[in-house]
Structures are given as structure tokens and as C-alpha cells.
Amino acid sequence: MHGPASPGWLLVALCALTGGYCLLRMRSAVEEQRRAAGGEALMGFGMAAMAVPAAVAVPPRWAWVAYVVVFGAAAVRALWAARTSAHHLHHLVGAVAMVYMAVVMAASPGSHGGGSPVLTGTLLLYFAGYVLWAGGRLMPVAGPGSVNVARGGTGWGDRPEVARACRLSMGIGMFAMLLTV
């Protein structure tokens, strides 16, 4: 990733931790949640690897080709899964954004600003909107008579609020990475 090293390392840590939590979510008893968590883990770890500051290591061209292949396949899978759940459209946009960033990085390694301003701007608007929407979903809604009840027996992989926080952090990470394209 282009840009200063310390924000890059913070982004690497954020994305790697998010990917790690998504691996924990893959232990859920709900099949759909396991599948979504697998795609999100791939995205988190892929973003972490892509966010390593360029001053530390500039990946060889074949690594960017590998990104295009892996996230291109993830995009096709998300497109197929979107037939049954609209949530997978977000995974599709994320995978397409990863393919786009890999193509830009392969075309102009070590430089800044090699992407299409229209496509980059569109993706930035999408992820900014997604971050605002996802952040709003994390706010507690307390109404008259609402009671906070602890969920007995709910494991870390089945906590929807933590899954939402992970999606929010990946959206923020994607926005930050797109700013450097």
C-alpha cells in the first residue's frame, strides 16, 4: 500500500485481527454465517497482506496476479451467492475493489495515483456510505421496556454485534486503502 508506514501497519493489524475473528465465526452452527465468515476472513487477511507498507516490501508482479485470481474467484462466488441473499452483493463489491486495487498496484508498483478517478471515487462513495450505515447499526436502540439480557450459551462466533463491528472495520480499511490508489 502506498502512503506512510505507521498507518499502513495499523491497517495491517486491524485487517488481520478482523480476519482472525472471522475464522472464529466459521465455527458457528449456522451454515450461512459460516460461509459469510469464510469470505470475510479471506477479505480481512487479503486486505492485511495488501496493506503492508510499500516502503517495507514491494510484492513481485506475480503476487498481484495471484490477488486478481483469488479475489476474482471470490467475486464470482459472491455473485453466485447473491442469488439467494442480497448481503453477498457487498461481498461482491469488496472483491471487485480488491481486484481493482491489485490491477492498479501491478500496473504502477511503488507509485501513487494510478487508478481510474471515476472508479476509485465510486468505490470510495460506496464504502463511505457502507461505513456510515454499518456504524449506525452498531448503535444500541433502547426503547421503553427494553431489557439487556445476556445471551447464555452464545459463543464468540455467534455474536452479531461483533460481526457487525468486524464488517465496519473492514469497510473503514477498504476506504483507507482506496484513498491510496
Side-chain angles (χ1 to χ4, degrees):
M1 186 176 94
H2 309 300
S6 30
W9 285 119
L10 289 172
L11 190 57
V12 168
L14 174 73
C15 294
L17 287 171
T18 300
Y21 177 73
C22 290
L23 285 179
L24 284 176
R25 285 183 37 230
M26 289 180 67
R27 297 175 48 187
S28 172
V30 180
E31 182 180 349
E32 179 60 28
Q33 185 170 323
R34 282 194 312 265
R35 258 186 274 157
E40 290 166 0
L42 173 70
M43 186 67 67
F45 289 128
M47 287 172 60
M50 191 180 276
V52 171
V56 174
V58 177
R61 187 170 296 266
W62 65 263
W64 298 119
V65 172
Y67 271 109
V68 169
V69 169
V70 167
F71 287 102
V76 169
R77 183 178 179 278
L79 182 61
W80 183 258
R83 295 173 307 117
T84 59
S85 172
H87 171 72
H88 292 285
L89 290 174
H90 173 69
H91 291 168
L92 175 64
V93 174
V96 168
M98 291 292 283
V99 168
Y100 168 66
M101 287 188 289
V103 168
V104 169
M105 298 292 195
S108 60
S111 69
H112 179 70
S116 161
V118 173
L119 185 53
T120 303
T122 302
L123 289 169
L124 280 169
L125 283 173
Y126 172 80
F127 283 103
Y130 179 80
V131 164
L132 292 172
W133 175 78
R137 290 187 64 197
L138 283 176
M139 295 174 145
V141 179
S146 66
V147 178
N148 268 340
V149 178
R151 294 173 226 224
T154 300
W156 279 100
D158 292 320
R159 307 269 321 225
E161 67 277 5
V162 182
R164 285 188 201 117
C166 284
R167 290 182 191 119
L168 172 65
S169 62
M170 282 198 294
I172 292 169
M174 189 67 77
F175 184 85
M177 290 172 68
L178 284 163
L179 283 175
T180 66
V181 171

